Structures are given as structure tokens and as C-alpha cells.
Amino acid sequence: MVQNQSTEQLHQELESLRYEVNELKTAQAAYHAQSELLENLVAMARSSSEKEVLTATLKNTMAVSTRLTGAERGSLFIYNSSGAVVASILTREGATPEESTRLIGVVLKDGLAGWVSRHREIGLIYDTKNDNRWVDLPNQPYQVGSALAVPILRGERLLGIITLLHSRSKHFTDEHAHLMEVTADQIALALENVQLYTKLDTTKKALENELEKGKQIQQDFLPERLIQPEGWEIAACFSPARDVAGDFYDAFELPGGYVGLVIADVCDKGVGAALFMALFRSLIRIFSGQIQLQESDVINSALMENCPINPHKPDYSAEVDALKAVFLTNNYIAKIHCQLSMFATMFFGVLNPKTGVLTYINGGHEFPIVINSEGIKQRLSKTGPAVGMMENVKFKVEQVQLEPGDIVLAYTDGVPEAHSPTGKFFTEKSLLSLVEKSANSATDLLNMVEESLRNHIGDATQFDDITMLAVRWIASSER
């Protein structure tokens, strides 16, 4: 009696061990299926379109399923959230779109896939001749002896149905059904990732499209052509670090024959900075042209504090009127948009092309460089804080007398702070050393600096916007 119990107990333990081994094999097969599907998805997502990713995933799903079960062929339907079939792989190859639609309709209405869709459970047919869930299709070019259909579920939602076929009856077993039931969870994960990728890819493309529009709009804010006053050359270089930038430059005509010259760097980067770049640029243009540049005896005392130039010289008072745009812009930004803490470093100069006098405000910006044939002649240091930080701050006006052959080079901090692949800055020292060399024109000077910058940056990612504006008084002997 004891011996019989021991034998029976041994059989039970062996059966339990056999079951555990089978479960481990099933889990291992499901894990390998998941790994293969996800690896293929990642590989496709890196280099393929949305449609190609979905098609490849469906084919990989079929390949994995047929390999696990020994199926000879199969079909796969993918549903959207409304329950409509949005993608499929049919057993019958080469079917026209009309034929495919008709065949899917028949199968989902009367066939095994339809039964699985309604019951949300695995459908196993040992012998198609003895199971009314199986429907032979018209002109079917293959024999089907047994079939296995598996719902691909994610929670309560039906993502798809995979149907596997074999010409021999009783090919598919309960073990196959159990294996595919476990694997279906991994297939669901892969399909869900495809759908998520599709949504992300669609959103990404929409954002890229909007950024491209923003980039084009921003380009429209920059001068299409730089004005070239008689006897002067004005050139610029603009290289944004991202699709849209916070830097901007401008050169525009002012009443009375004057020329407005602006270079600025809005704090931060990206879309927010680009929006404020457009705002700063528009305000400067509007406010500087709002006051007619005529002789004026009314000069703001705060504006002229410590200014070495006689404030009642007619041509100088007119230029100061234009520079009031900096005050107006500062107060508008600081008052209306104070909660965003956006500001810009800015150099705004008003040039008298007839006399070569450049009257300017430097609001916390990099010091422009005045260069002549002998090298660096002067730096135009700051005369006030960045624009837009606080209301009613003081900006002093300064003036420089340019001579024929002089070049004024203004730039943003993206120039000295350009990164090399090792993270080393280009530095202001390198820039100053470079511009000491004589240049025949403003354009040549910018090309020389830009080439040196590109060599320094190499294959590193551009860290910040790079913007330069150069103005040269052409000597009479060169005209």
C-alpha cells in the first residue's frame, strides 16, 4: 500500500515537473518572440516611414507565429479603436483591394476570425471538415485541414486577430493554442508600440511642419536684402543653432537719410525666443520711425547724461530721437511681458552715411569692434543694461566718428562661445586676433570669421545662434 502511494506520488511529481518545464518553454518562446518583434520595430523605426514600420511589424508577427506553431500560412487583421480593420495580411496573395475587402468581410462575418472577434477567445479547429466555424472561400487555392485563430488583446480592446492554417487536420494542438495565447500578449505589446510610434511620428511631422513654417516666418523678419547706402557696404551672417532662433539683425532706412543698424540676442533659445525676436525687431522698427527725424531741441536729459556730444547739434538730436526706440521697447517688454522674464541684449546704432557718425546705444550686448587698416581701432562698450529687464532704466547715448575704410563688426555671443568637439570655446581673444588681419570688405571679413568658426566647431553640434553684422565705409579711392 505504501509502495503504491509512493509510486503514485512520484508520477504526480513527474507530471508537475513536466508541466513546469513546458510552461518554462512556453514563456521562453514568448520572450524570444517579444524580443524579435521589438528589435525589428526599433530597427525599422530608425530608418523607415510610418507605413513601412506597420507593414514590417505585421510580416514579422506572421513569421514569428508560423515558426512557433509550424503553420504553413496565415492571415492577420489589425483593428483601430472603432473596431474597423485598418491593416491586414491575407492568406491569398495578390488579391486586388476589392477582393481583399470582400474576403475580409466573409471571414469576419461567417468564418473563424469572426467567431474569435465576437467571443474574444482562442479558436482552435482540429478538423475543418467537422467544425462549422470554418468557411472555405470561393476559388481557394490551398487546402486547410486545421486552423488556430488568436485574439490580440490589450486589456478589453481588440487590437487584431491572427489566424494560422495547416493543410493537415489535427496539426494544431492545445499546446500550440496555449503557446500562442501567451505570445499574443507580446504581439499586442509590439502592435501597441507601432500604434504609439505612428501617433508620435504623426505628431512629430506636424511639429516639424509648424517649425518649418516658423522658420520661414522668422526668415521673413530678417532683411531679404541688406540696404547699401551710397559709399557703404553692409553685410551679415546668420546661422541659427535650431530651426528657429533668438538672434536677429537688421539694417533699415530711417527718415532723413539715416540708417538703423541693429543686432540683438534674445535670452533663451527655441520657439519662445524666436517669438520675442520678432517682437523686439518690430518694436524697434516701429518706434524708431515713429518720431520724424528732424532737428529737435527737445532731448531727454536722462538720455544725454554724461554724453560728450553737444545735445543741441541739429543732426545729433535727430539721431537721438530714433534711439528713443530702445526706451520704448524696453518699457513695453518689461511692463507687458514681465511675467515671462524675457529680455534681449541689443546694439542699436543710427548711422549718418554722409558724415560717418554712428550714434548708438549698447544694451548689455557684446562690444562691437571698429577696425581700420592698422587693426582694432575701438570697442563700442555697453551704455546700459539688456533691453526688457526693468522699466524706466537709463540708457546712455554714445557716438563714434568713423573714417573711410573703417569696418564696424557687431556679433552675438554665439561667436566667442562657439564650442569645439572637445567643448573648448572659440573665445573673444581668438576673434580679436583674427580681425586684426586686414580685410578688403565687410563681406570678406565675415567670410574669414565664419570659416574660422566652422573649422573650430568641426563636427560638434552648434551650441548657440551665430549672428554677425558688418558695416564698412568704402574709401573714395575704391569707388
Side-chain angles (χ1 to χ4, degrees):
M1 183 72 176
V2 174
Q3 185 177 359
N4 288 339
Q5 287 179 344
S6 298
T7 302
E8 183 178 349
Q9 185 178 8
L10 181 59
H11 280 302
Q12 289 177 349
E13 289 177 355
L14 287 173
E15 188 63 32
S16 176
L17 182 60
R18 187 180 293 109
Y19 175 79
E20 289 179 5
V21 169
N22 286 334
E23 286 297 302
L24 285 173
K25 288 182 178 179
T26 299
Q28 185 180 32
Y31 170 77
H32 286 310
Q34 180 192 38
S35 298
E36 183 175 344
L37 289 171
L38 291 180
E39 284 173 7
N40 287 325
L41 172 59
V42 170
M44 288 297 296
R46 286 174 179 163
S47 58
S48 306
S49 67
E50 171 188 328
K51 184 177 180 181
E52 289 172 333
V53 170
L54 178 59
T55 301
T57 302
L58 297 186
K59 289 181 178 179
N60 289 331
T61 299
M62 286 301 308
V64 168
S65 301
T66 55
R67 187 176 68 250
L68 287 174
T69 61
E72 294 174 335
R73 56 180 55 86
S75 63
L76 176 61
F77 302 146
I78 301 299
Y79 294 84
N80 63 14
S81 57
S82 301
V85 175
V86 293
S88 63
I89 292 180
L90 299 181
T91 307
R92 185 175 302 187
E93 298 178 355
T96 65
E98 293 77 13
E99 289 174 331
S100 297
T101 301
R102 182 173 55 81
L103 292 172
I104 291 172
V106 171
V107 170
L108 291 180
K109 180 182 178 183
D110 302 318
L112 180 59
W115 184 90
V116 170
S117 175
R118 291 186 293 274
H119 292 80
R120 304 294 176 94
E121 61 182 72
I122 288 179
L124 173 58
I125 296 179
Y126 298 105
D127 188 343
T128 57
K129 294 180 181 179
N130 300 319
D131 197 313
N132 59 14
R133 292 176 298 176
W134 181 255
V135 176
D136 282 318
L137 299 173
N139 303 316
Q140 186 170 285
Y142 48 82
Q143 295 294 321
V144 180
S146 55
L148 174 63
V150 183
I152 303 170
L153 299 167
R154 198 67 174 164
E156 296 297 320
R157 184 187 165 196
L158 180 64
L159 299 181
I161 296 174
I162 184 166
T163 304
L164 302 169
L165 310 177
H166 199 282
S167 57
R168 191 176 69 248
S169 62
K170 297 182 181 180
H171 170 79
F172 297 109
T173 64
D174 292 339
E175 286 77 13
H176 287 134
H178 179 56
L179 175 59
M180 285 304 301
E181 183 178 27
V182 175
T183 305
D185 290 337
Q186 316 309 322
I187 295 173
L189 178 61
L191 292 178
E192 189 176 50
N193 284 332
V194 169
Q195 292 174 347
L196 178 60
Y197 166 79
T198 299
K199 290 180 180 178
L200 289 175
D201 190 54
T202 301
T203 302
K204 176 175 175 285
K205 288 177 180 177
L207 287 174
E208 286 175 346
N209 185 48
E210 291 303 311
L211 278 175
E212 185 58 36
K213 289 179 182 177
K215 181 180 180 179
Q216 186 57 53
I217 291 171
Q218 185 175 51
Q219 286 289 345
D220 291 342
F221 273 101
L222 298 174
E224 184 177 358
R225 290 187 199 83
L226 286 167
I227 62 171
Q228 303 294 328
E230 186 178 353
W232 293 81
E233 178 198 4
I234 302 177
C237 169
F238 177 69
S239 176
R242 301 183 183 178
D243 290 319
V244 289
D247 283 9
F248 75 95
Y249 66 91
D250 206 355
F252 52 94
E253 294 179 356
L254 288 168
Y258 296 93
V259 176
L261 302 167
V262 185
I263 187 166
D265 182 0
V266 179
C267 67
D268 206 358
K269 298 179 181 66
V271 175
L275 291 173
F276 271 85
M277 163 267 180
L279 179 60
F280 274 102
R281 178 263 187 193
S282 299
L283 290 175
I284 288 293
R285 276 212 172 199
I286 291 170
F287 290 149
S288 61
Q290 194 176 61
I291 304 170
Q292 185 68 26
L293 290 184
Q294 297 174 342
E295 296 181 8
S296 172
D297 289 327
V298 182
I299 304 298
N300 188 309
S301 59
L303 191 67
M304 301 306 302
E305 183 179 351
N306 297 325
C307 180
I309 307 299
N310 181 354
H312 295 288
K313 286 179 65 176
D315 58 344
Y316 185 63
S317 62
E319 292 156 80
V320 168
D321 277 344
L323 291 172
K324 289 177 183 176
V326 176
F327 287 89
L328 296 171
T329 300
N330 176 79
N331 284 352
Y332 179 88
I333 297 293
K335 182 177 181 180
I336 303 301
H337 299 290
C338 58
Q339 72 279 7
L340 297 176
S341 300
M342 296 296 285
F343 59 88
T345 64
M346 179 186 298
F347 177 87
F348 180 27
V350 177
L351 174 67
N352 186 333
K354 295 178 182 179
T355 66
V357 172
L358 178 64
T359 310
Y360 65 90
I361 287 177
N362 185 342
H365 197 73
E366 303 289 323
F367 300 176
I369 310 166
V370 181
I371 309 157
N372 62 17
S373 59
E374 297 179 359
I376 296 174
K377 175 180 175 181
Q378 188 176 344
R379 302 293 300 278
L380 307 183
S381 58
K382 68 177 182 179
T383 64
V387 179
M389 296 185 72
M390 294 183 295
E391 287 186 74
N392 301 318
V393 295
K394 291 183 179 181
F395 292 92
K396 296 177 185 179
V397 172
E398 296 288 350
Q399 190 175 62
V400 60
Q401 175 64 62
L402 301 177
E403 303 294 338
D406 285 355
I407 300 177
V408 179
L409 173 64
Y411 56 93
T412 59
D413 60 5
V415 174
E417 294 178 6
H419 286 59
S420 71
T422 59
K424 183 181 178 182
F425 286 148
F426 183 72
T427 73
E428 186 176 62
K429 181 179 179 181
S430 296
L431 176 63
L432 295 177
S433 175
L434 186 64
V435 300
E436 283 278 4
K437 304 173 184 177
S438 69
N440 295 323
S441 67
T443 301
D444 286 347
L445 176 65
L446 292 187
N447 289 340
M448 180 175 64
V449 175
E450 185 178 15
E451 182 181 2
S452 184
L453 278 171
R454 295 304 169 198
N455 290 336
H456 176 79
I457 293 170
D459 58 2
T461 301
Q462 185 177 322
F463 175 73
D464 199 2
D465 305 326
I466 293 174
T467 307
M468 294 182 284
L469 180 67
V471 183
R472 180 173 182 260
W473 191 356
I474 303 171
S476 57
S477 60
E478 300 178 44
R479 300 179 198 173

